[in-house]
Amino acid sequence: MTEQPRVTAEHTADKRLRERARAVIPGGMYGHQSTALLPGAYPQFMRGGRGARIWDVDGNEYIDLMCSYGPVVLGHQHPRVEEAAAAQAALGDCQNAPGPVMVDLAELLVRTVRHADWAMFAKNGTDATTMCCTIARARTGRRKILVATGAYHGAAPWCTPRPAGVTPQDRENLGYYTYNDMESVRQAAAAAGDDLAGILVSPFKHDAGYDQELVDPGFARGLRALCDETGAALILDDVRCGFRLHLGSSWEPVGVAPDLSAWSKAIANGHALAAVLGNDAFRDGARQLFVTGSFWFSAVSMAAAIATITALAEERAVEAMERSGAELRDGILAQAHSWDLPISYTGPDVMPYLSFAGDEDHRLGDVFAEHALRGGVYLHPRHNWFVSAAMTGDDIARALEATDRAFAAVRKQIGN
Amino acid sequence: MTEQPRVTAEHTADKRLRERARAVIPGGMYGHQSTALLPGAYPQFMRGGRGARIWDVDGNEYIDLMCSYGPVVLGHQHPRVEEAAAAQAALGDCQNAPGPVMVDLAELLVRTVRHADWAMFAKNGTDATTMCCTIARARTGRRKILVATGAYHGAAPWCTPRPAGVTPQDRENLGYYTYNDMESVRQAAAAAGDDLAGILVSPFKHDAGYDQELVDPGFARGLRALCDETGAALILDDVRCGFRLHLGSSWEPVGVAPDLSAWSKAIANGHALAAVLGNDAFRDGARQLFVTGSFWFSAVSMAAAIATITALAEERAVEAMERSGAELRDGILAQAHSWDLPISYTGPDVMPYLSFAGDEDHRLGDVFAEHALRGGVYLHPRHNWFVSAAMTGDDIARALEATDRAFAAVRKQIGN
C-alpha cells in the first residue's frame, strides 16, 4: 500500500473496452460514471481497489480522491465490512423476507442519527429522496416541495438535471429557492401557499461544477422555523454527505434537526443501500406508502452497513478524514500560492472542490485534473472530491506530489 | 437437501424481532415483504436458504415456492453465481468507473435477448420501467404512456398501487387499457392522439390477487402493429418474468419483439441489478437521458448476472423449471379434484397462481397457504408462485404432501 502510484501503462485495455461498449451501451456509457466530460487520460473502466489505492484495467495505480463518488468512506475492501458482508452472504441475501440484520440496522441508525425515530431502506439515493417527498405529501395531504435551484437530488424524471424525456408534469409540484437565501424560500413558500408539503435541502451547496458553499446556520434554522410554522416537512438530502461530516446527520453540528432525511452512498462503504430516516411526526405518513423493490430487503448490504457504521465510530473515521482533509487543503493552498495561481478551494475539507479563478469553461480544471491523474491521483475537475478514512500520511504526501506537478502544468498552460 | 422440511419450532425469535421492528420501522415492515396481509403463521424474518430449501429465524425449514418474489431462479446460493460474485468482490465492486464485466454483460444480453441491440443497468425493476418510459418520451418527444389497468410496474409515485403521497400530476401522462383487449388499447391510443409515447405491457397478466391470464398472441401482435403505425415504443415489462419463460425475452415464444424491455429480479439470481434493453431505433433516445445511481455501475452484481445467465443456458434451467412446474401443476390439480375443491390454477406452470372458486376475500386461500406453510412449503395466497431450477423431484413430492394437507384443511373449513 505504500509504494509510489504508477501510471505508466498505455490505456490499451481501456480503449478496447470502450470500443466494445460503444456497440452495446448507448453513447458508450451513461450517468455520472461516463468519462465523456473528463479529460482523455481518464480510464472509463476500473479494475479494483484497496484502501486508498485503486487500479484501472491497464494496471495503472492511483490514490483515490473520488471514493466511487462517495460510497467508499472507510477505503476500498475494508476488512470488517467485507467480512460482515461475506458472513451474511453465506447465510442469505435476497430472501422471501428480510433478515434480522434489518432490525439491527434500523436500531443502530435510530441510536446514531439524532433526529431519527425510524428507518426504511431502499437501493438508490434517488429512492430515498423520492420517498421523503412522498412521505411529506402523504403526511400533509399537500403537494408542493421546494428545492434549491441547481441542486442535485437524484436522477428520476422529477429531479434529473437533464430534461430529455421529462414532462412538465414531472416537476409541476416543485418550487424553487436559492440556497442560503431565506427570503427566496419565503417567496417560494408563499407561492405554494397552503399546498406546501416539504422543503428539500442539501447539508451544504455542492452543485457539481460550481464552488461549494457551506450552510449558513441561520438559513438552516430559518428553514426549520418555517416548516414548524407551516407543518411542512424539513427534508435533509444527506445522500452525498452522510457519514462523512458527522455520524449523527450532517446538520448535527449546525444544531438543526430535519423531519426526514435521505441517505445512501457511504452508508455501507460501497454496498448498494439507501435509507430514509424520520421522526415520529412523520411515522404514520411513512406507514401509508407502498414503496418497495426486489432487493430492498436484501441482508448483505445491511450487514455491510452495520459493519460500516460501527467501524466509522470505533475507528474515529470522521476525525481521521478531517485530519487528512486538512492536510490536503493546506498542501493544495500552499502549492497554488507558490505557483501564483488564484484558486477557490471550497466546501468541507473532507469533500473539497477546487476551481481556478475565471475558469468558467473548466479548461484549467481539466489540465489540472489530467496532470494529477498522470501523476497518480484520481480526482475530478467538475465534482467535489472525497477523502476516505483509509488515506495515510504517505497517501496525502504522494497525492500532493501529483497535484504540485498538476499546478505546474496549469501554470505552463497560462504562461508566466 | 433431501430431508423432510421441519416446521416445529415456535416463532419465538420472529416475534421478538417483530416487536423490535415495530419500534424502528413504520408499521413494523413495509412493501411486498411485509407479512401484514399473510396468515399469522408466516415468519416476518428469514435466516437463509440453499437450493430450494429456506429457513426462518426460528430454524423452521420450507421448500421455497416464492423464490424471494422472483429474484432466485437457479436456487439459493447457487455455487457458480456466488463464486463469480465473490471473485469480483475480491477485486472491486463500486468504483470510480464500471468494471470490464459491464461490457461483458451488455454483450451477453445483446446476444441472448433477440430484440436487444444495447443495454443499460440500474438497481430496481422500477428504475428500469421508469427509464423505458423516459426513453420512449425522449425519442418521440411525446408524453403519454398506456398501461393496463391494475398492472404492477413498480412502486414509484407514477406506478405504485397505493395512492398515499401520490399527486394527480404523477399520473397525468398515463392512459389505461384492459389487458388482452385490443379495442381498449385503440381507444386509449386515440385519446392520447399525437402525444402517444409508448405502450407498457407485461408478458402476461399477473396482477397480484387475481387469476392470471396468458397473453393472446393476437393482442401482442396488435400492440406491435399499433406502435409501428404511431411511432410509439412497445415496452415489455419483463421484470417479474424475465429469464423464467424464455432467455430471449418472455415474448420470444409469442414472436413479438418490443422496442424496449425492463428487466430485474432473476437477472443475477438475487444480486441487486436491473437492466433496460432496447433496439437501435431507441438507442439515441436512451443516450440523451441522464440516469444514474451510486451503485448502478457496481461490478459484483454484473459478474453474478453473467454467471446466472450462463448457468441458466448451460444447465437448461428453463426446461428444468417447466418440468418441475408441470409436475407441481399435475399434482395440485389432482389433489384439488380428489378433495372436490373447484380451483383456478392460472398462468405459466413456472409462475402459477392458485385461487379457490368464489374466494373473493381470499379466506380459503389463506387457509390453504397457512396449512401449506405449516406442512413445510412456502407459497403465497395472493401472489403468483415461482418455481426455481433447483427444485428436485423430491422437493416437488414433499411440497405436494404439504399441499394435500392444505387442501384437506380447506375442505374441512368449507365442510362437506
Side-chain angles (χ1 to χ4, degrees):
Chain A
M1 289 303 92
T2 54
E3 71 261 48
Q4 175 77 29
R6 294 176 311 274
V7 186
T8 53
E10 293 295 309
H11 288 292
T12 318
D14 197 71
K15 280 201 191 96
R16 224 164 24 228
L17 282 163
R18 282 174 192 250
E19 278 161 31
R20 290 169 53 200
R22 255 193 298 277
V24 291
I25 297 171
M29 192 51 62
Y30 55 91
H32 72 294
Q33 296 206 345
S34 165
T35 55
L37 288 178
L38 285 173
Y42 277 76
Q44 180 59 79
F45 295 92
M46 297 299 290
R47 182 172 190 274
R50 190 165 293 269
R53 301 290 175 111
I54 52 175
W55 303 279
D56 69 20
V57 289
D58 284 288
N60 299 301
E61 178 175 300
Y62 311 94
I63 292 164
D64 187 12
L65 273 176
M66 281 311 291
C67 294
S68 315
Y69 293 78
V72 171
V73 63
L74 291 164
H76 296 267
Q77 304 280 347
H78 190 268
R80 288 172 71 180
V81 176
E82 295 314 303
E83 278 158 28
Q88 181 62 55
L91 279 175
D93 185 19
C94 181
Q95 305 286 327
N96 287 343
V101 284
M102 184 174 180
V103 183
D104 297 335
L105 176 58
E107 288 176 340
L108 176 59
L109 286 166
V110 165
R111 276 200 308 276
T112 305
V113 177
R114 188 169 326 188
H115 68 265
D117 295 317
W118 52 262
M120 295 172 80
F121 301 101
K123 284 287 135 186
N124 301 312
T126 305
D127 297 338
T129 55
T130 304
M131 280 163 72
C132 285
C133 296
T134 311
I135 292 167
R137 288 174 174 139
R139 144 94 167 147
T140 61
R142 310 174 195 162
R143 286 176 301 177
K144 302 293 178 189
I145 303 283
L146 308 188
V147 297
T149 307
Y152 182 79
H153 295 297
W158 72 267
C159 54
T160 177
R162 204 181 295 165
V166 172
T167 70
Q169 287 72 31
D170 290 321
R171 310 207 169 175
E172 199 171 314
N173 289 315
L174 298 183
Y176 296 89
Y177 64 86
T178 302
Y179 199 91
N180 270 343
D181 177 352
M182 200 58 215
E183 185 47 37
S184 72
V185 180
R186 277 192 211 98
Q187 282 172 20
D194 57 11
D195 206 15
L196 182 65
I199 302 176
L200 180 55
V201 63
S202 303
F204 65 91
K205 188 170 182 285
H206 51 47
D207 311 349
Y210 295 93
D211 288 348
Q212 304 191 120
E213 203 177 304
L214 296 182
V215 69
D216 173 352
F219 176 73
R221 286 192 295 269
L223 293 182
R224 182 65 274 173
L226 182 61
C227 287
D228 289 341
E229 196 181 295
T230 57
L234 180 57
I235 307 167
L236 189 66
D237 179 352
D238 227 339
V239 169
R240 199 186 301 177
C241 310
F243 298 118
R244 283 203 133 82
L245 305 181
H246 190 292
L247 300 191
S249 136
S250 296
W251 272 9
E252 194 57 26
V254 184
V256 172
D259 297 300
L260 299 165
S261 52
W263 304 70
S264 183
K265 290 201 181 276
I267 195 170
N269 205 48
H271 292 263
L273 189 69
V276 172
L277 305 182
N279 64 25
D280 273 330
F282 285 82
R283 186 190 288 259
D284 194 59
R287 193 192 51 74
Q288 292 174 49
L289 267 54
F290 185 80
V291 279
T292 200
S294 297
F295 311 108
W296 286 21
F297 305 93
S298 294
V300 169
S301 61
M302 294 182 186
I306 293 169
T308 298
I309 297 166
T310 306
L312 283 166
E314 291 181 7
E315 300 174 13
R316 304 183 72 77
V318 170
E319 293 90 322
M321 289 187 277
E322 281 172 354
R323 276 195 306 275
S324 295
E327 215 176 315
L328 184 68
R329 176 201 64 208
D330 291 346
I332 294 269
L333 293 179
Q335 289 173 350
H337 182 77
S338 82
W339 288 102
D340 194 22
L341 287 165
I343 64 163
S344 294
Y345 194 78
T346 50
D349 289 343
V350 300
M351 298 172 67
Y353 180 77
L354 169 71
S355 71
F356 292 87
D359 188 35
E360 265 79 44
D361 61 359
H362 296 276
R363 204 173 46 95
L364 300 180
D366 281 354
V367 170
F368 178 84
E370 174 141 25
H371 284 83
L373 187 91
R374 290 189 190 281
V377 59
Y378 193 116
L379 48 75
H380 201 291
R382 295 161 197 237
H383 192 289
N384 71 269
W385 312 340
F386 296 88
V387 172
S388 81
M391 291 203 88
T392 63
D394 185 61
D395 291 324
I396 301 278
R398 290 175 193 278
L400 285 170
E401 284 176 38
T403 55
D404 197 52
R405 287 198 291 273
F407 277 121
V410 174
R411 179 74 274 166
K412 192 174 164 195
Q413 171 86 14
I414 297 175
N416 289 298
Chain B
M1 288 305 88
T2 55
E3 72 261 50
Q4 175 77 28
R6 292 178 312 273
V7 186
T8 54
E10 293 295 310
H11 288 291
T12 319
D14 197 70
K15 281 202 192 95
R16 221 161 29 223
L17 283 163
R18 282 174 190 249
E19 277 161 31
R20 290 169 53 199
R22 257 193 296 276
V24 291
I25 296 171
M29 192 50 64
Y30 54 92
H32 71 293
Q33 295 205 347
S34 165
T35 56
L37 288 178
L38 286 172
Y42 277 76
Q44 179 59 79
F45 295 92
M46 297 299 291
R47 183 173 188 275
R50 190 165 293 270
R53 301 289 176 113
I54 53 175
W55 303 280
D56 68 20
V57 288
D58 285 287
N60 298 300
E61 178 175 301
Y62 311 94
I63 291 165
D64 187 12
L65 272 177
M66 280 310 291
C67 294
S68 316
Y69 293 78
V72 171
V73 62
L74 291 164
H76 296 267
Q77 304 280 348
H78 191 268
R80 289 171 70 179
V81 176
E82 295 314 304
E83 278 159 26
Q88 181 62 55
L91 279 176
D93 184 19
C94 181
Q95 305 287 326
N96 287 343
V101 284
M102 184 174 181
V103 183
D104 297 336
L105 176 58
E107 288 177 341
L108 176 58
L109 286 165
V110 165
R111 276 199 309 276
T112 306
V113 177
R114 184 163 338 183
H115 68 265
D117 294 319
W118 52 262
M120 295 172 79
F121 302 101
K123 284 286 133 184
N124 301 313
T126 305
D127 297 338
T129 55
T130 304
M131 281 162 71
C132 285
C133 296
T134 312
I135 292 167
R137 289 174 174 139
R139 145 96 166 144
T140 61
R142 310 174 195 160
R143 286 176 300 177
K144 302 292 178 190
I145 303 283
L146 308 188
V147 298
T149 307
Y152 182 78
H153 295 297
W158 72 267
C159 53
T160 177
R162 205 182 294 165
V166 173
T167 70
Q169 288 72 31
D170 290 322
R171 309 205 170 177
E172 200 170 314
N173 288 314
L174 298 183
Y176 296 90
Y177 64 86
T178 303
Y179 200 91
N180 269 344
D181 176 353
M182 200 56 216
E183 185 47 35
S184 72
V185 180
R186 277 193 211 96
Q187 282 172 20
D194 57 10
D195 206 15
L196 182 64
I199 303 176
L200 180 55
V201 63
S202 304
F204 65 91
K205 187 170 182 286
H206 50 47
D207 310 349
Y210 296 93
D211 287 348
Q212 304 190 122
E213 205 177 303
L214 295 182
V215 69
D216 172 351
F219 176 73
R221 286 192 296 270
L223 294 183
R224 182 66 274 172
L226 182 61
C227 287
D228 289 341
E229 197 180 298
T230 57
L234 180 55
I235 307 168
L236 188 67
D237 179 353
D238 227 339
V239 169
R240 199 187 301 177
C241 311
F243 298 117
R244 282 202 134 81
L245 305 181
H246 190 292
L247 300 192
S249 136
S250 297
W251 272 10
E252 195 57 27
V254 184
V256 172
D259 297 299
L260 299 165
S261 52
W263 304 69
S264 183
K265 290 200 180 279
I267 194 170
N269 204 49
H271 292 262
L273 190 68
V276 172
L277 304 182
N279 64 24
D280 274 331
F282 285 81
R283 186 190 289 258
D284 194 57
R287 193 192 51 75
Q288 292 174 49
L289 268 53
F290 184 82
V291 279
T292 199
S294 297
F295 312 108
W296 287 20
F297 305 92
S298 294
V300 168
S301 61
M302 295 182 184
I306 293 168
T308 298
I309 298 166
T310 306
L312 282 167
E314 292 181 7
E315 299 174 14
R316 305 182 72 77
V318 170
E319 292 90 324
M321 289 187 278
E322 281 172 354
R323 276 195 306 275
S324 295
E327 214 176 314
L328 184 68
R329 176 203 63 209
D330 291 346
I332 293 268
L333 293 180
Q335 290 173 348
H337 183 77
S338 81
W339 288 102
D340 193 22
L341 287 166
I343 64 163
S344 294
Y345 193 77
T346 51
D349 289 344
V350 301
M351 298 173 65
Y353 180 77
L354 169 71
S355 70
F356 292 88
D359 188 36
E360 265 79 44
D361 60 359
H362 296 275
R363 204 171 47 93
L364 300 180
D366 282 354
V367 169
F368 179 83
E370 174 141 23
H371 284 82
L373 186 91
R374 291 188 190 282
V377 59
Y378 193 116
L379 47 75
H380 201 292
R382 296 161 197 237
H383 192 289
N384 72 268
W385 312 341
F386 296 89
V387 171
S388 81
M391 290 202 89
T392 62
D394 184 62
D395 291 324
I396 301 277
R398 290 176 192 277
L400 286 170
E401 286 176 34
T403 55
D404 197 53
R405 288 198 292 273
F407 278 122
V410 173
R411 179 74 275 166
K412 192 174 165 196
Q413 170 87 15
I414 297 176
N416 289 295

